[in-house]
Amino acid sequence: MLEVRNLGKTYRGGVRALDGIDLSIPPGMFGLLGPNGAGKSTLMRTLAAIQLPDSGSIRFDGIDVLADPVALRRRLGYLPQSFGAYPHASCRTMLRHMAILKGLPDDAQTASRIDQLLELTNLTAHADRPVTTFSGGMRQRWGIAQALLGDPALLILDEPTAGLDPEERMRLYNLLSQLSGERVVLLSTHIVDDIEQLCSAVAVVQGGKVVARGETARLVEELAGRVWESAEPVPARSPARHLSTAYRRGQPVHRCFAVSCPGAGFTPAVPSLEDRYFLELHGARPC
Ligand code: ADP
């Protein structure tokens, strides 16, 4: 269990990136969803003991993370938003190098673990190519392989699907869906689909605060019967709350939240996590 209490961080210049974050995260895949600038990366770096908060506490399985970051790092796998690789080092050599940095012995058991991770991430055929020649999706899969060295109990993935094409994203979803088991996996993203595909529980973050949290399915179910859509925008002075305007085959689809039908032309819509996300970002409560 990962327990975060009242985490605060203000950067020089006055940006309050974390503003009293409280979270209790059990084993499984947990999503942290928020727009750019919400504070996700600051939170991820703080939880990975790379950056110190101004206030608050973090405990993971009995470890006081802020007091003993080394103990946490022994149990942690971290995929940052961006990472470098030596230009000429092969994928396998880089993994061996990372294993040594993580304190694993340079022996046959570690070599066999690296082979397993290459297999898991579908990189066996590319093991002797430099990571710098990989596509975005392959690079992310390599990043996940290095994060899994040492079989971490806590896995932190910061925007793992950013910039991937749909096929690569799907491949990464398949890989990520196999990873949780007994470990806590924390996945930060601004992509609602990442959460819908992978996470049974989620926290929505905005302006350094958690604005909603819970089981993904429940957050969506709470909107049942209250989401409407129309080809026309929500009328002015309507109590309905505009959620989003999207396009379907070139035609606008306006979605809104209202306890009863907001007017002619609106039809009931099946609620989605994206509806809940927009509702929270606009500061409204579903009930
Ligand atoms: P996210 O990952 O959700 O996009 P970040 O944690 O990167 O959010 O940023 C949260 C806020 O803190 C943003 O307003 C960002 O500009 C600011 N910020 C992030 N890092 C720094 C830094 N090193 N110095 C000053 N401000 C920062």
Side-chain angles (χ1 to χ4, degrees), residues 9-28:
K9 172 75 185 177
T10 303
Y11 285 111
R12 231 181 285 167
V15 176
R16 184 99 178 119
L18 303 178
D19 192 3
I21 298 269
D22 284 314
L23 286 171
S24 298
I25 303 177

Side-chain angles (χ1 to χ4, degrees), residues 95 98-99 102 104 113-114 117 144-152:
L95 285 175
M98 302 293 285
K102 283 194 179 188
L104 300 182
R113 176 70 183 144
I114 288 173
L117 290 171
I144 287 166
Q146 66 75 25
L148 288 172
L149 285 164
D151 207 11

